[in-house]
């Protein structure tokens, strides 16, 4: 079974990440909080959420989205990992150059 998709706040995804030893910064949705609260003591404790870590994660995700603006990176056109890495490096440099 593969990993559940996306950064969604589901019990299954959290269990999968925990099993693999991957730290997560997924906020719990309000309806899930309400459901857990309604279950009382059987609802378990709320998952840990660090707002500062989530902000840093958001910065990284926005960077990835900017990189996807480069067609070759978004489509993974390059055939080897080395050439793909070079394309990502070049695109990162171009993004940086535009920002200064």
């Amino acid at each position: 079974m593969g990993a559940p998709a996306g950064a969604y706040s589901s019990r299954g995804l959290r269990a999968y990440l925990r099993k693999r030893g991957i730290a997560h910064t997924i906020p719990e949705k309000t309806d899930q909080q309400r459901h857990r609260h309604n279950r009382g003591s059987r609802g378990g404790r709320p998952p840990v959420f660090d707002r500062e870590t989530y902000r840093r994660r958001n910065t990284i995700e926005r960077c990835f989205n900017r990189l996807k603006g480069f067609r070759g990176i978004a489509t993974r056109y390059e055939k080897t990992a080395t050439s793909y890495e070079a394309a990502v490096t070049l695109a990162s440099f171009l993004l940086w150059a535009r920002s200064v």
Side-chain angles (χ1 to χ4, degrees):
M1 178 179 123
Y8 301 107
S9 175
S10 72
R11 199 175 310 157
L13 179 63
R14 289 178 192 278
Y16 175 80
L17 294 174
R18 204 174 304 112
K19 184 174 83 173
R20 305 252 342 240
I22 301 171
H24 57 78
T25 57
I26 306 167
E28 188 179 29
K29 295 180 182 177
T30 54
D31 64 325
Q32 290 174 339
Q33 289 175 347
R34 191 170 39 252
H35 180 69
R36 186 176 36 75
H37 180 71
N38 289 341
R39 292 189 62 173
S41 62
R42 293 175 299 125
R45 63 177 187 221
V48 177
F49 175 69
D50 182 14
R51 195 171 297 276
E52 187 56 38
T53 303
Y54 188 72
R55 283 189 184 130
R56 290 193 308 257
R57 172 189 166 186
N58 183 298
T59 303
I60 299 299
E61 286 182 358
R62 284 183 294 147
C63 177
F64 279 126
N65 286 333
R66 284 187 178 168
L67 286 171
K68 286 180 185 177
F70 291 87
R71 187 181 192 176
I73 294 171
T75 59
R76 298 183 184 190
Y77 184 73
E78 287 78 14
K79 294 191 186 298
T80 64
T82 307
S83 60
Y84 185 74
E85 183 180 3
V88 170
T89 303
L90 178 61
S92 300
F93 175 74
L94 292 172
L95 287 173
W96 173 79
R98 288 181 197 165
S99 69
V100 274

